[in-house]
Amino acid sequence: MSLYLYAILQADHLDLVKDLDLKGMNAQPVQFYPLPPFAIVYSESQQERYLASRANLITHETVLETLMKAIDPHKAVPLPLQFGLVVEEWEEVEKDLLIPFEAKLTELIDNLIGKREVSVKLFWNQTEELNLAVAENKGLQQRREALVGKVLSMDEAIAIGQELEAAIEQRQQIIIDAFVDTLKPLSHDYAEGELLTESMIYNGSFLIDWDKEPEFAAAVEALDLQFENRLRIRYNDFTAPYNFVNVDRD
C-alpha cells in the first residue's frame, strides 16, 4: 500500500482533528498516523504518481485548508508537504524526513503557531502605464512626438525603446517599493515569488499574526487607493504556509 502525504502535525494535538471527516486524493479518507513527536496527515494512494492537474492541486490544498480551519491556530499548525509526495512505507518517512530534520521541523512549527501566510499579487496594464509615463514626462513626450511619422534609424529606435523601458521599469519599482515598505513591517517574514504572467509585476507572501489579518488587509486596500485603482490586486488571506516551511531555509 502506498501513502499520499499532505502535512505534518504535532502528535500531541491529534485530538484536535481525530473526528475530522475529510476526503483526499481519489476520494480516499484522510487519516492521521502518529510518529512521535509528529503525526502524518495522509490517505491511501491509488497511483504511483499524481499529475499537477487543477483538480489534484485543489484537492491537496483543500485538505490543508480544512486542517488549518479545524485547528486552533494558537495551539497547533499543520506543516504542508509538497504536492505529489507518495511513499511506500512509514519507515521511509522517519528515515528521510522526521529523524534527520526533527529539530528544524519543531522550530518551524513553533514559528508558525499563531501566524498565517497571506499573499499579494499585483497586475497592471502595461500599455496604459506606458501612456501615463509618457504623459507625465514632458521631455519623453516631446521626443516621442518628434519621431511620429519618421523613419527611425536603428540607433534612434533603440534609444527611444530604452528610454520607454526605463520609464516603465521605474513606475513598476515605485509600486513594488510602496507595497513592500508598507506591508513588510506588518509581517514576521517575507518571501518574493516568481512573476507568473506578463501582466504580473509583483508576487509576495507574508507571514503575519493570525489575528492581525484585518489590519494587513486594510493596508492593502489603502495601497490600492494610493495608486488610484490602476492595479489589479489578488489578495489571498488564507493559504498553507508553503513559503515558510522549507527545512533548508536559514
Side-chain angles (χ1 to χ4, degrees), residues 171-235:
R171 293 178 72 82
Q172 178 176 332
Q173 196 59 51
I174 288 172
I175 293 171
I176 293 172
D177 289 346
F179 273 79
V180 173
D181 292 346
T182 300
L183 300 179
K184 192 174 179 180
L186 301 177
S187 67
H188 293 277
D189 205 351
Y190 164 75
E192 194 164 324
E194 296 180 1
L195 302 183
L196 306 177
T197 67
E198 288 187 5
S199 63
M200 180 185 289
I201 62 169
Y202 175 73
N203 181 8
S205 297
F206 302 82
L207 186 66
I208 66 172
D209 287 324
W210 189 278
D211 300 327
K212 291 187 177 180
E213 189 280 326
E215 176 185 347
F216 192 92
V220 174
E221 185 173 349
L223 285 162
D224 190 20
L225 293 175
Q226 176 182 329
F227 289 100
E228 302 173 330
N229 299 312
R230 292 182 358 236
L231 304 170
R232 184 163 56 88
I233 302 177
R234 186 180 300 166
Y235 172 56

Side-chain angles (χ1 to χ4, degrees), residues 9-10 13-21 30-32 39 41 66-68 70-72 78:
L9 289 172
Q10 306 98 311
H13 290 299
L14 276 179
D15 59 314
L16 299 174
V17 294
K18 63 181 180 181
D19 297 324
L20 196 63
D21 183 15
V30 172
Q31 304 177 63
F32 306 92
V41 184
T66 303
L67 284 170
M68 292 169 65
I71 298 174
D72 183 342

Side-chain angles (χ1 to χ4, degrees), residues 106-164:
T106 300
E107 178 187 341
L108 287 170
I109 288 173
D110 291 341
N111 184 53
L112 290 174
I113 288 177
K115 303 180 182 71
R116 69 165 79 182
E117 178 177 330
V118 298
S119 65
V120 178
K121 295 179 175 62
L122 304 180
F123 304 81
W124 72 358
N125 184 311
Q126 183 167 330
T127 301
E128 291 181 3
E129 290 296 325
L130 182 57
N131 290 334
L132 285 171
V134 173
E136 294 170 4
N137 185 325
K138 295 301 181 183
L140 180 58
Q141 184 177 5
Q142 290 172 355
R143 285 189 292 280
R144 191 186 193 190
E145 290 175 349
L147 296 173
V148 174
K150 180 181 178 182
V151 178
L152 302 183
S153 67
M154 181 65 72
D155 288 342
E156 288 175 324
I158 292 174
I160 190 64
Q162 289 176 335
E163 194 167 1
L164 292 171

